[in-house]
Every structure is written in C-alpha cells, then in structure tokens.
Amino acid sequence: MNNIALGRYMPLDSVIHHLDPRAKIMVLLFLMIAVFIPAGAVGYVVIAAFIVVALFLSKLQISYALRAMKPMIWMMIFLLVINTLVIKTGTPWIQWGWFSVYSDAIYQTLYIVVRLMFMIILTTILTATTKPLDLTLGIEKLLKPFEKIGLPAHIIAMMISIALRFIPTLIEETQRIMNAQASRGVDFENGGLKEKIFSILSLIVPLFVSSFDRAEQLANAMEARGYDPNRQRTRYKVLKMKTKDIFGMAMSVVILGVCLGIWIL
C-alpha cells in the first residue's frame, strides 16, 4: 500500500503544503500547458528544474514521485514497440533483416514519455501536498464564477476530489484481485489470445463489481450524514491568497512564457 504514490496525501510540514490549493491548481494548469508546448529540450529542462525545486520545497523524495510512474511502465513499453514498428523515418540505428529501428521512433517515444512523466509527477506533488477537502474547496472556488452559466461547481469539485482519492484504492484493489486470480490458476503472462481475453475478463469483472460496491457504500455514507450537494454551504476554512501563492503562480506563468517564446522563436 505504501508503494502507491499517485493520489495519496503525505502529511508533511513544508512550504508547498501550506500554499493555497487554488494557487497549486493554477500552477499545475499552467505547467500542464507548458508541457504540451513543443519547446524542445530547453523548455523541458526548465520545467524539470521547477519540478525538482518543488519536490525539495515539499520535502518529497524524487523516488517517491517516480514511484507514481510504475503503473505506466507497461504502457511506455507498448508505446515504444508500436513506434518502432510504425515510424520508419530518420536515421536507421538498428537493422536486422526485416526489423529496423529508426531515430525518429526513439525520439518520438522519449518525447511522449517525458511529457507523461512530467504530468504524473506534477499531479503527484499536488495530491501529496494537498488534503482532499482542501483540493475540493480549491476546485470549487476556481469554478465558482461558472455557476452563473449553470455549471455545478461544487458537484464537479467533489467528483474530481473523490476520483483522485480513489486512485490508490483502485490500484491496490487491482493488485489484490490479480493475486487472488493467480492463486486460482489464472495466468496473466502466458497463453494465447483466447487465454489472454479470459484472464483480462477475470480481472476487469470483479474490479468493476468492487468499484460499484465502493461507490454505493460511499453514496450511502454521505446520504446518512445528510449530505446534499444542492444546499448552500458555509465553510469553516476560508481561503486567502498570500504573497508566496502569487509568487508560485508568477513563476509558473514565467515558465509558460519561456516555453511559448522558445516555440515561437
């Protein structure tokens, strides 16, 4: 359970932990936009430097943030195989009979992997340094202006917060189901296409059943406590932007501007 990083709050005493959740969400948004800008190696180095500083200020170890990449390893390997078979441009690096690996296939895979890594680490920093209730309140406050056009800000914020909270729970549940099915003789690694389909179904079906059961239990618990998303709510904790929050957002805007400048020039 401790191996799951994404979606888990770490109760540490750091500068990042004490930032306004709205500021952290905005920083995440600006950096996500910067990640998708084709700014080349320089832009990615700037983003990586900001992430390293954020990890240091939040007192999170780099190994903890990289641990969130574990569920994505097989997807990255699959992406590398597909790019190797499909992309046939650039300089040929490996040629063995009909099989060949070109430079553009490797570069394209690294390009996507670096983007994915940055997004997962940034999200991990946000969820590890922000309490679920604070995250819900921050999202709700940011979406508050859109209520004038009928957008249910509180409901959307609650849905996002619950989804992030249940990421580690679902990953842990998946591992438990895989171990249980493996003890019953299900082989997830070997076999033909038919065996693979049956092994995947033996994992997906109980996972869906367990997820719906957890959702029903959560809904019953919230209803038993008198939760009504349509009622006007008061808050004990009032969010207030401070100088350090504005500074953090300003730094993310600067990084976004640098990436945009590199792309344009």
Side-chain angles (χ1 to χ4, degrees), residues 64-76:
Y64 175 82
L66 293 177
R67 201 182 303 160
M69 297 291 297
K70 279 188 176 182
M72 303 295 175
I73 291 177
W74 290 110
M75 188 184 74
M76 294 177 184

Side-chain angles (χ1 to χ4, degrees), residues 52-122:
V52 171
V53 172
L55 287 171
F56 174 76
L57 293 177
S58 62
K59 298 182 180 179
L60 295 174
Q61 296 181 355
I62 297 179
S63 59
Y64 175 82
L66 293 177
R67 201 182 303 160
M69 297 291 297
K70 279 188 176 182
M72 303 295 175
I73 291 177
W74 290 110
M75 188 184 74
M76 294 177 184
I77 295 174
F78 177 75
L79 181 65
L80 175 61
V81 172
I82 294 299
N83 285 342
T84 301
L85 295 175
V86 173
I87 299 177
K88 300 296 181 182
T89 57
T91 305
W93 285 2
I94 300 175
Q95 285 187 327
W96 185 37
W98 63 271
F99 180 75
S100 59
V101 178
Y102 286 79
S103 58
D104 285 355
I106 304 298
Y107 291 146
Q108 184 69 17
T109 303
L110 289 175
Y111 191 59
I112 298 174
V113 167
V114 169
R115 280 180 168 182
L116 184 63
M117 182 178 67
F118 282 167
M119 289 189 295
I120 292 177
I121 293 178
L122 287 170

Side-chain angles (χ1 to χ4, degrees), residues 33-264:
I33 297 174
V35 165
F36 281 97
I37 295 175
V42 178
Y44 286 155
V45 168
V46 173
I47 297 173
F50 183 89
I51 291 175
V52 171
V53 172
L55 287 171
F56 174 76
L57 293 177
S58 62
K59 298 182 180 179
L60 295 174
Q61 296 181 355
I62 297 179
S63 59
Y64 175 82
L66 293 177
R67 201 182 303 160
M69 297 291 297
K70 279 188 176 182
M72 303 295 175
I73 291 177
W74 290 110
M75 188 184 74
M76 294 177 184
I77 295 174
F78 177 75
L79 181 65
L80 175 61
V81 172
I82 294 299
N83 285 342
T84 301
L85 295 175
V86 173
I87 299 177
K88 300 296 181 182
T89 57
T91 305
W93 285 2
I94 300 175
Q95 285 187 327
W96 185 37
W98 63 271
F99 180 75
S100 59
V101 178
Y102 286 79
S103 58
D104 285 355
I106 304 298
Y107 291 146
Q108 184 69 17
T109 303
L110 289 175
Y111 191 59
I112 298 174
V113 167
V114 169
R115 280 180 168 182
L116 184 63
M117 182 178 67
F118 282 167
M119 289 189 295
I120 292 177
I121 293 178
L122 287 170
T123 307
T124 302
I125 295 174
L126 174 65
T127 56
T129 60
T130 312
K131 296 178 181 178
L133 291 178
D134 292 342
L135 186 62
T136 302
L137 181 58
I139 297 174
E140 181 180 351
K141 290 295 183 182
L142 290 174
L143 295 177
K144 199 74 173 177
F146 296 98
E147 286 186 343
K148 296 180 179 179
I149 59 175
L151 185 72
H154 175 73
I155 297 176
I156 293 177
M158 182 63 69
M159 290 169 57
I160 295 175
S161 178
I162 292 175
L164 291 173
R165 166 60 185 84
F166 273 88
I167 287 175
T169 304
L170 290 178
I171 294 176
E172 182 185 358
E173 186 72 19
T174 302
Q175 189 61 51
R176 276 207 300 262
I177 294 173
M178 289 182 67
N179 294 336
Q181 298 291 45
S183 66
R184 293 180 175 90
V186 178
D187 191 353
F188 291 97
E189 297 180 359
N190 304 314
L193 179 60
K194 184 178 179 180
E195 288 78 10
K196 287 287 186 182
I197 293 175
F198 278 109
S199 62
I200 292 175
L201 287 176
S202 68
L203 171 64
I204 292 178
V205 173
L207 182 61
F208 267 90
V209 173
S210 174
S211 301
F212 284 122
D213 184 56
R214 288 181 182 274
E216 185 178 4
Q217 291 179 8
L218 178 61
N220 292 334
M222 295 174 70
E223 185 178 355
R225 288 166 174 80
Y227 175 75
D228 186 357
N230 298 317
R231 300 288 288 273
Q232 287 294 108
R233 310 180 68 86
T234 57
R235 297 286 181 182
Y236 172 76
K237 184 175 182 180
V238 180
L239 299 179
K240 291 183 180 180
M241 285 283 188
K242 299 179 180 178
T243 305
K244 57 185 178 181
D245 301 314
I246 298 175
F247 178 77
M249 288 191 294
M251 289 299 298
S252 62
V253 171
V254 169
I255 293 175
L256 177 58
V258 169
C259 293
L260 280 172
I262 295 173
W263 178 42
I264 293 173

